[in-house]
Amino acid sequence: QVQLVESGGGLVQAGGSLRLSCAVSGRTFSSYAMGWFRQAPGKEREFVASISWTGGSIYYADSVKGRFTISRDNAKNTVYLQMNSLKPEDTAVYYCAAGEQTIVVVATTYDYWGQGTQVTVPS
């Protein structure tokens, strides 16, 4: 079984930066894709970014492109989301997810999920 634990969330002023971490425990596979999703109050869960575990395939939602960077450290079994130039509309609970045969932007195709970490950017 795979477990994912997010950390690094908090309250940051607009224009600031924050780095989220997703620690992965249990068996990991080279074919796994790792994704970040977020869900704001009253809204559906939306795709943010994804990265293949061993490959170089990276995808970003248009809303975060140029501001967020997803990366991984396979030796530490950790995936990161560096968030810069944060905006109030980035406020949400951020979730880390993993899957073996995922459709990148489709949350229901991921097999494992973390508990989420709150990111708040006041206006």
Side-chain angles (χ1 to χ4, degrees), residues 2-3 6 24-25 32 35 77 101:
V2 175
Q3 288 188 322
E6 304 97 332
V24 183
S25 62
Y32 270 36
N77 291 326
Q101 293 183 346

PDB file of all heavy atoms in Angstrom, residues 2-3 6 24-25 32 35 77 101:
ATOM      1  N   VAL A   2       0.430   2.263  -0.674  1.00  0.00           N
ATOM      2  CA  VAL A   2       1.155   3.511  -0.779  1.00  0.00           C
ATOM      3  C   VAL A   2       0.463   4.566   0.073  1.00  0.00           C
ATOM      4  O   VAL A   2      -0.761   4.688   0.050  1.00  0.00           O
ATOM      5  CB  VAL A   2       1.237   3.978  -2.241  1.00  0.00           C
ATOM      6  CG1 VAL A   2       1.894   5.353  -2.333  1.00  0.00           C
ATOM      7  CG2 VAL A   2       2.007   2.964  -3.072  1.00  0.00           C
ATOM      8  N   GLN A   3       1.253   5.316   0.821  1.00  0.00           N
ATOM      9  CA  GLN A   3       0.731   6.423   1.610  1.00  0.00           C
ATOM     10  C   GLN A   3       1.402   7.718   1.187  1.00  0.00           C
ATOM     11  O   GLN A   3       2.607   7.755   0.941  1.00  0.00           O
ATOM     12  CB  GLN A   3       0.951   6.192   3.101  1.00  0.00           C
ATOM     13  CG  GLN A   3       0.074   5.118   3.701  1.00  0.00           C
ATOM     14  CD  GLN A   3       0.188   5.051   5.208  1.00  0.00           C
ATOM     15  OE1 GLN A   3       1.272   5.213   5.768  1.00  0.00           O
ATOM     16  NE2 GLN A   3      -0.929   4.827   5.869  1.00  0.00           N
ATOM     17  N   GLU A   6       1.138  15.171   2.726  1.00  0.00           N
ATOM     18  CA  GLU A   6       1.502  16.525   2.315  1.00  0.00           C
ATOM     19  C   GLU A   6       1.912  17.355   3.522  1.00  0.00           C
ATOM     20  O   GLU A   6       1.423  17.148   4.635  1.00  0.00           O
ATOM     21  CB  GLU A   6       0.334  17.224   1.612  1.00  0.00           C
ATOM     22  CG  GLU A   6      -0.217  16.488   0.406  1.00  0.00           C
ATOM     23  CD  GLU A   6      -1.440  15.665   0.746  1.00  0.00           C
ATOM     24  OE1 GLU A   6      -1.565  15.227   1.913  1.00  0.00           O
ATOM     25  OE2 GLU A   6      -2.280  15.460  -0.141  1.00  0.00           O
ATOM     26  N   VAL A  24       6.204  10.123   0.139  1.00  0.00           N
ATOM     27  CA  VAL A  24       5.607   8.877  -0.320  1.00  0.00           C
ATOM     28  C   VAL A  24       6.222   7.708   0.430  1.00  0.00           C
ATOM     29  O   VAL A  24       7.442   7.564   0.470  1.00  0.00           O
ATOM     30  CB  VAL A  24       5.813   8.685  -1.831  1.00  0.00           C
ATOM     31  CG1 VAL A  24       5.112   7.422  -2.307  1.00  0.00           C
ATOM     32  CG2 VAL A  24       5.320   9.896  -2.601  1.00  0.00           C
ATOM     33  N   SER A  25       5.389   6.874   1.017  1.00  0.00           N
ATOM     34  CA  SER A  25       5.859   5.678   1.703  1.00  0.00           C
ATOM     35  C   SER A  25       5.195   4.449   1.103  1.00  0.00           C
ATOM     36  O   SER A  25       4.145   4.537   0.468  1.00  0.00           O
ATOM     37  CB  SER A  25       5.582   5.749   3.203  1.00  0.00           C
ATOM     38  OG  SER A  25       4.193   5.837   3.462  1.00  0.00           O
ATOM     39  N   TYR A  32       4.686   5.222 -11.984  1.00  0.00           N
ATOM     40  CA  TYR A  32       3.723   6.099 -11.318  1.00  0.00           C
ATOM     41  C   TYR A  32       3.861   7.533 -11.777  1.00  0.00           C
ATOM     42  O   TYR A  32       4.965   8.034 -11.995  1.00  0.00           O
ATOM     43  CB  TYR A  32       3.913   6.045  -9.812  1.00  0.00           C
ATOM     44  CG  TYR A  32       3.104   4.983  -9.108  1.00  0.00           C
ATOM     45  CD1 TYR A  32       2.867   3.755  -9.691  1.00  0.00           C
ATOM     46  CD2 TYR A  32       2.582   5.219  -7.840  1.00  0.00           C
ATOM     47  CE1 TYR A  32       2.134   2.784  -9.044  1.00  0.00           C
ATOM     48  CE2 TYR A  32       1.852   4.250  -7.178  1.00  0.00           C
ATOM     49  CZ  TYR A  32       1.627   3.031  -7.789  1.00  0.00           C
ATOM     50  OH  TYR A  32       0.907   2.067  -7.132  1.00  0.00           O
ATOM     51  N   GLY A  35       0.718  13.736  -8.987  1.00  0.00           N
ATOM     52  CA  GLY A  35      -0.035  14.928  -9.314  1.00  0.00           C
ATOM     53  C   GLY A  35      -0.378  15.755  -8.094  1.00  0.00           C
ATOM     54  O   GLY A  35      -0.455  15.245  -6.977  1.00  0.00           O
ATOM     55  N   ASN A  77      11.938   9.857  -2.045  1.00  0.00           N
ATOM     56  CA  ASN A  77      10.528   9.536  -2.256  1.00  0.00           C
ATOM     57  C   ASN A  77       9.632  10.732  -1.940  1.00  0.00           C
ATOM     58  O   ASN A  77       8.642  10.617  -1.212  1.00  0.00           O
ATOM     59  CB  ASN A  77      10.113   8.325  -1.418  1.00  0.00           C
ATOM     60  CG  ASN A  77      10.738   7.035  -1.900  1.00  0.00           C
ATOM     61  OD1 ASN A  77      10.947   6.841  -3.100  1.00  0.00           O
ATOM     62  ND2 ASN A  77      11.029   6.138  -0.977  1.00  0.00           N
ATOM     63  N   GLN A 101      -1.686   4.373 -14.044  1.00  0.00           N
ATOM     64  CA  GLN A 101      -2.202   4.585 -15.388  1.00  0.00           C
ATOM     65  C   GLN A 101      -3.189   5.734 -15.349  1.00  0.00           C
ATOM     66  O   GLN A 101      -4.402   5.540 -15.466  1.00  0.00           O
ATOM     67  CB  GLN A 101      -2.843   3.313 -15.928  1.00  0.00           C
ATOM     68  CG  GLN A 101      -1.855   2.188 -16.175  1.00  0.00           C
ATOM     69  CD  GLN A 101      -2.505   0.970 -16.784  1.00  0.00           C
ATOM     70  OE1 GLN A 101      -3.731   0.830 -16.806  1.00  0.00           O
ATOM     71  NE2 GLN A 101      -1.685   0.076 -17.296  1.00  0.00           N
TER      72      GLN A 101
END
